[in-house]
């Protein structure tokens, strides 16, 4: 059974979708969800879905090795950032080469980098009158949103779409594709 560890900061709709996908499939499991936000809704989802959860603070993540050694003990085959908003520290990236992936709600390299998350991305896409946007799933390196791209899929942005309309199109793409991409990475890693 492959072991998935998820990092999430907020609502956790992607985390829930990944958890239930693999609960139904049975070839992998989400062994724990880690969050930097003790108020995050993702924690309620974990309780309901009976998945272990763990919260941590900035010191444990950036100045001590607590979160790193905790994660190493979980022995993950894949670490999935699903709406996780803190930058992954270098020691983490080096400890898990090609084992950390992130989902970004735009077609990177467009609309990536610090401060570009969630609704901010969709507002920028609408303000710039883009005609398409999409999702990117990529490996995580030391720089925000710059690791090698694994998967992208696009959707149309119509002239009358609001940022909320774009958000719901992106949400739909994330729900459809993210678990499948995770599954194919786990399968191709043997
Ligand atoms: C998702 O749309 C994800 O792509 C985005 O945050 C949302 C989290 O939603 N991630 C980023 O913007 C990362 N830069 P969720 O908490 O409901 O899964």
């Amino acid at each position: 059974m492959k072991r998935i560890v998820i990092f999430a900061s907020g609502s956790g709709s992607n985390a829930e979708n990944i958890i239930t996908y693999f609960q139904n499939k049975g070839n992998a499991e989400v062994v724990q969800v880690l969050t930097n936000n003790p108020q995050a809704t993702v924690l309620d989802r974990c309780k309901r879905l009976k998945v272990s959860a763990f919260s941590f603070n900035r010191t444990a993540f950036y100045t001590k090795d607590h979160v790193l050694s905790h994660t190493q003990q979980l022995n993950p085959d894949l670490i999935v950032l699903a709406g996780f908003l803190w930058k992954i520290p270098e020691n983490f990236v080096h400890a898990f080469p090609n084992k950390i992936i992130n989902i970004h709600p735009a077609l990177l390299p467009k609309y990536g980098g610090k401060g570009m998350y969630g609704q901010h991305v969709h507002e920028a896409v609408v303000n710039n009158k883009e005609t398409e946007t999409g999702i990117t799933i990529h490996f995580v390196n030391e720089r925000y949103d710059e690791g090698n791209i694994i998967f992208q899929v696009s959707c149309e942005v119509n002239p009358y779409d609001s940022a909320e309309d774009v958000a719901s199109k992106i949400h739909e793409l994330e729900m459809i594709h993210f678990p499948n991409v995770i599954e194919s990475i786990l399968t191709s890693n043997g």
Side-chain angles (χ1 to χ4, degrees):
M1 179 82 91
K2 299 282 185 174
R3 298 170 65 80
I4 301 166
V5 167
I6 294 180
F7 280 67
S9 299
S11 162
S13 67
N14 279 284
E16 173 160 356
N17 187 43
I18 296 161
I19 290 166
T20 54
Y21 179 90
F22 288 105
Q23 281 177 344
N24 293 329
K25 277 262 172 157
N27 53 355
E29 71 172 325
V30 175
V31 291
Q32 192 165 73
V33 174
L34 283 81
T35 184
N36 59 310
N37 176 5
Q39 315 300 332
T41 307
V42 71
L43 293 173
D44 304 326
R45 297 184 193 260
C46 287
K47 207 175 262 175
R48 176 162 45 78
L49 298 164
K50 302 194 183 351
V51 171
S52 160
F54 176 85
S55 327
F56 56 86
N57 62 24
R58 201 167 266 284
T59 311
F61 197 46
Y62 288 114
T63 57
K64 307 229 163 64
D65 273 349
H66 291 172
V67 183
L68 176 59
S69 57
H70 176 91
T71 309
Q72 282 169 323
Q73 278 163 29
L74 294 171
N75 194 23
D77 294 291
L78 195 65
I79 297 171
V80 175
L81 311 186
F84 183 65
L85 301 183
W86 285 3
K87 191 163 185 278
I88 298 294
E90 237 171 81
N91 59 351
F92 233 95
V93 174
H94 293 148
F96 296 104
N98 286 331
K99 275 195 180 177
I100 313 176
I101 65 167
N102 178 47
I103 190 160
H104 188 77
L107 296 172
L108 290 174
K110 282 183 155 184
Y111 304 104
K114 196 166 167 28
M116 272 295 171
Y117 60 88
Q119 205 64 12
H120 298 290
V121 175
H122 310 313
E123 277 161 14
V125 163
V126 167
N127 289 342
N128 288 342
K129 304 192 186 332
E130 296 285 355
T131 54
E132 66 163 15
T133 187
I135 62 170
T136 303
I137 298 167
H138 64 94
F139 286 111
V140 170
N141 67 13
E142 299 84 346
R143 289 173 303 280
Y144 264 120
D145 302 327
E146 286 186 23
N148 288 343
I149 291 173
I150 303 163
F151 175 86
Q152 287 186 310
V153 63
S154 61
C155 59
E156 267 182 26
V157 181
N158 299 314
Y160 47 81
D161 277 346
S162 65
E164 289 72 25
D165 294 328
V166 174
S168 79
K169 291 181 186 182
I170 292 298
H171 179 75
E172 195 177 328
L173 291 179
E174 293 186 336
M175 293 299 111
I176 294 169
H177 296 286
F178 203 11
N180 292 328
V181 172
I182 292 169
E183 190 171 27
S184 64
I185 294 169
L186 287 171
T187 311
S188 67
N189 285 352

